[in-house]
Amino acid sequence: MNGEDGRQSGLSALLPLRVGGRHYAENLVRLDLLFSSLIHHGAPRLLDELVVVVRADELGVVGPHLERWRSDLPLEVRIEDEHFPAFRDFQRPWQVRPWQRQQIIKLNAAALTRAPFVLTLDPDVIAVKPITREALLPGGRALLEPESRGVHRRWWRDSARLLDVDPGMARPGMGVTPALLSTAVLDEVQRRLEEVGGREWMEVLLTSYCEWTEYTLYLLAAERSGLVDRHHLWGDDPTAPARLQTDPSISIWTAAGATRASIERLFAPDIPGLFTVVQSSSGLSAREVAVVAAAHFPVREVATGPPPALPASSKLGERFRGAARLAAQAIYRLRAGVRARRRRSRRSLEVTLET
């Protein structure tokens, strides 16, 4: 499918999913809420496919659950273990946090789907307005939701260091999930990480003990290669047909804003944004959110059994892993600082020799 100017506008969605462990125990209920909202608000054939990436040890629970939705959504399942062997190679306590596993999965979207554009999703995302492909990809370019880089300064600076670019703190940044990504830009992210890091891009990320994120890497790489305007339209552009997300100050990220009234506010017609977030760490149960959402669209819950039980981690083990990560970060930052000074010295010498 092509946009008005001839550019491709195929669209898939990508959803990394984990359901085992205390932080993810309600993700299947949240998934039902997300899927219900997509079915209600999404135009027919909104997505070419909806790719769900699951762990092999959780497929027995997730697989039957997804089957109950297959007649309503173009679901495709990818097994994490088959597509991300690097995760098996980096299992030390300070490596591959679940949060960063999800980020790497999203950065590898081009290997998981054929569409030129990918809508990234998490189970705590909800569609709150009618959505068409034309609204998401106006003129064949994907909406890009702006957010100040000052909100997460460390993310931008650490990602810029990995790409060897200026973090551009005065320029607009981009919001977090849900986001629309171009697979052409994702290819550029991977290429640049390997060019600067001298290793396969996943290995670069898994051994860089800093606060890089998928979206800061994405926009910085797109800016460096001049791909932003080619593949994206900023959501605050006067010609943009919609905002991709509810204003972050309206979405629910923490327990401070986790009230029934704040959930209801997300569905108000005067609030712009096609999607909103009720973060799972806010303390609101998935069923509390579903009760409010059910007043705005039909919510279907599919129960296929409890989530898989994983070995409980002790507080001592969690403290050890946390301390190990902090130590790894300190060593990494020290070495990164030395490398940066060496690069600046080489550039200064090159300039001196040229003059």
Side-chain angles (χ1 to χ4, degrees):
M1 191 175 292
N2 294 319
E4 293 175 0
D5 59 359
R7 283 176 285 205
Q8 290 182 319
S9 56
L11 177 65
S12 292
L14 177 64
L15 172 67
L17 179 65
R18 185 174 179 183
V19 299
R22 62 189 179 92
H23 295 296
Y24 310 100
E26 288 196 314
N27 269 358
L28 287 181
V29 181
R30 297 184 191 280
L31 190 70
D32 290 343
L33 182 54
L34 167 61
F35 283 179
S36 296
S37 72
L38 285 174
I39 292 169
H40 179 76
H41 288 300
R45 301 187 64 187
L46 173 67
L47 301 171
D48 296 330
E49 57 183 355
L50 198 170
V51 179
V52 183
V53 181
V54 303
R55 290 167 41 136
D57 61 351
E58 297 183 353
L59 184 61
V61 170
V62 176
H65 196 95
L66 294 177
E67 283 298 323
R68 302 288 295 276
W69 290 99
R70 196 174 290 279
S71 62
D72 298 298
L73 293 167
L75 291 172
E76 297 290 338
V77 177
R78 303 285 188 270
I79 308 303
E80 181 183 302
D81 310 58
E82 297 175 1
H83 292 273
F84 298 89
F87 291 165
R88 295 195 298 268
D89 298 332
F90 296 90
Q91 293 293 331
R92 293 176 180 173
W94 56 89
Q95 295 173 330
V96 67
R97 289 178 290 174
W99 182 47
Q100 291 186 324
R101 289 171 79 108
Q102 295 178 3
Q103 294 181 61
I104 289 174
I105 289 170
K106 291 170 184 175
L107 287 173
N108 204 33
L112 301 170
T113 178
R114 298 178 296 276
F117 291 101
V118 178
L119 171 67
T120 58
L121 297 170
D122 286 330
D124 52 11
V125 171
I126 306 171
V128 292
K129 298 284 193 307
I131 304 170
T132 65
R133 189 176 301 202
E134 291 71 26
L136 296 178
L137 303 174
R141 293 192 292 166
L143 289 178
L144 186 61
E145 190 63 34
E147 180 182 81
S148 170
R149 299 189 191 199
V151 175
H152 299 291
R153 292 179 177 274
R154 175 63 68 184
W155 294 1
W156 290 97
R157 289 171 176 159
D158 283 355
S159 295
R161 187 179 296 115
L162 292 182
L163 296 171
D164 192 21
V165 297
D166 188 316
M169 298 304 296
R171 297 193 297 268
M174 68 179 290
V176 295
T177 306
L180 285 162
L181 306 181
S182 160
T183 54
V185 175
L186 290 172
D187 287 340
E188 176 61 22
V189 174
Q190 297 176 17
R191 189 200 65 77
R192 182 61 179 173
L193 284 171
E194 292 180 352
E195 179 182 33
V196 175
R199 293 167 291 157
E200 195 271 341
W201 70 273
M202 286 191 200
E203 183 180 346
V204 171
L205 293 180
L206 291 171
T207 57
S208 297
Y209 309 112
C210 60
E211 298 302 315
W212 58 265
T213 70
E214 73 275 55
Y215 300 124
T216 49
L217 290 168
Y218 179 89
L219 186 55
L220 288 167
E223 289 175 335
R224 180 186 176 278
S225 53
L227 295 176
V228 177
D229 291 339
R230 180 177 176 181
H231 293 286
H232 288 285
L233 177 67
W234 288 99
D236 59 354
D237 188 289
T239 65
R243 296 298 295 259
L244 183 61
Q245 300 178 21
T246 300
D247 188 302
S249 65
I250 303 296
S251 287
I252 301 172
W253 303 97
T254 65
T259 66
R260 188 184 181 102
S262 62
I263 304 173
E264 187 66 46
R265 180 65 173 152
L266 299 173
F267 297 94
D270 62 319
I271 299 296
L274 301 176
F275 294 93
T276 194
V277 175
V278 182
Q279 196 164 67
S280 54
S281 61
S282 67
L284 284 166
S285 75
R287 287 182 172 82
E288 286 180 277
V289 180
V291 167
V292 178
H296 301 275
F297 58 84
V299 176
R300 175 156 61 98
E301 185 172 330
V302 177
T304 55
L310 297 181
S313 57
S314 67
K315 289 186 178 180
L316 181 60
E318 290 182 357
R319 288 173 182 169
F320 171 73
R321 284 190 293 274
R325 288 180 189 131
L326 289 174
Q329 285 182 357
I331 294 170
Y332 171 81
R333 292 192 187 285
L334 178 63
R335 291 176 176 174
V338 171
R339 289 193 295 268
R341 288 192 292 272
R342 287 175 178 171
R343 284 197 299 269
R344 288 195 294 268
S345 296
R346 284 198 301 270
R347 289 171 182 168
S348 177
L349 179 59
E350 290 169 357
V351 170
T352 301
L353 293 175
E354 288 175 358
T355 56

